Amino acid sequence: MGFIAAGRFGSEVQDEIFYDSEEKRFYRRTNNAGGIEGGMSNGEPIILRAAMKPISTLRRPLSSVNLVTKKEVKAIKERADICAVPAASVIGEAAVAFEIARAMREKFGGDSIEEVRRNYTSYMEYIKGF
């Protein structure tokens, strides 16, 4: 539901948990939380939505001030890009990667990637018992 969920009542965005006795697994019919509840993954796919402000440059020059004379001038009309979405997606992906790495380190931390991998593998084996 993304940003829409912010305008809803809590009772309208819950993701109930069910159990499939044939497949012996827990599941949810919805993923309104986007895969994260209380700051941690709930096992569902993690879905992110982001928003950004529009590009601030216009076809007409904006009012500005000359730093030396302190007099009003019109800014130079320049349009370096017409669409910021490609750049924003790279930035968003990098920010998410940092946060996932931070969470992984917090949960499975160690002094080396081998130790993190060992801790992760051990944890995955442990939860198979549930």
Side-chain angles (χ1 to χ4, degrees), residues 24-119:
K24 297 183 179 176
R25 70 175 187 91
F26 294 96
Y27 70 97
R28 297 168 187 252
R29 291 184 183 139
T30 58
N31 187 15
N32 293 317
I36 298 175
E37 293 179 57
M40 58 190 274
S41 169
N42 64 14
E44 294 294 318
I46 296 176
I47 300 169
L48 302 168
R49 302 269 191 299
M52 59 182 275
K53 71 175 194 66
I55 296 171
S56 58
T57 55
L58 302 172
R59 291 180 188 250
R60 64 175 174 78
L62 298 175
S63 294
S64 188
V65 176
N66 182 304
L67 294 175
V68 175
T69 66
K70 314 293 189 279
K71 296 194 187 263
E72 183 177 327
V73 296
K74 291 295 183 183
I76 296 171
K77 181 176 74 172
E78 180 179 335
R79 185 85 187 211
D81 56 356
I82 57 168
C83 182
V85 173
S89 64
V90 171
I91 293 165
E93 186 177 311
V96 170
F98 274 118
E99 287 305 307
I100 290 173
R102 184 194 55 75
M104 290 284 292
R105 181 153 181 202
E106 183 179 307
K107 175 69 178 171
F108 307 112
D111 295 328
S112 66
I113 192 67
E114 291 82 15
E115 188 175 356
V116 172
R117 186 177 290 124
R118 185 196 71 218
N119 295 345

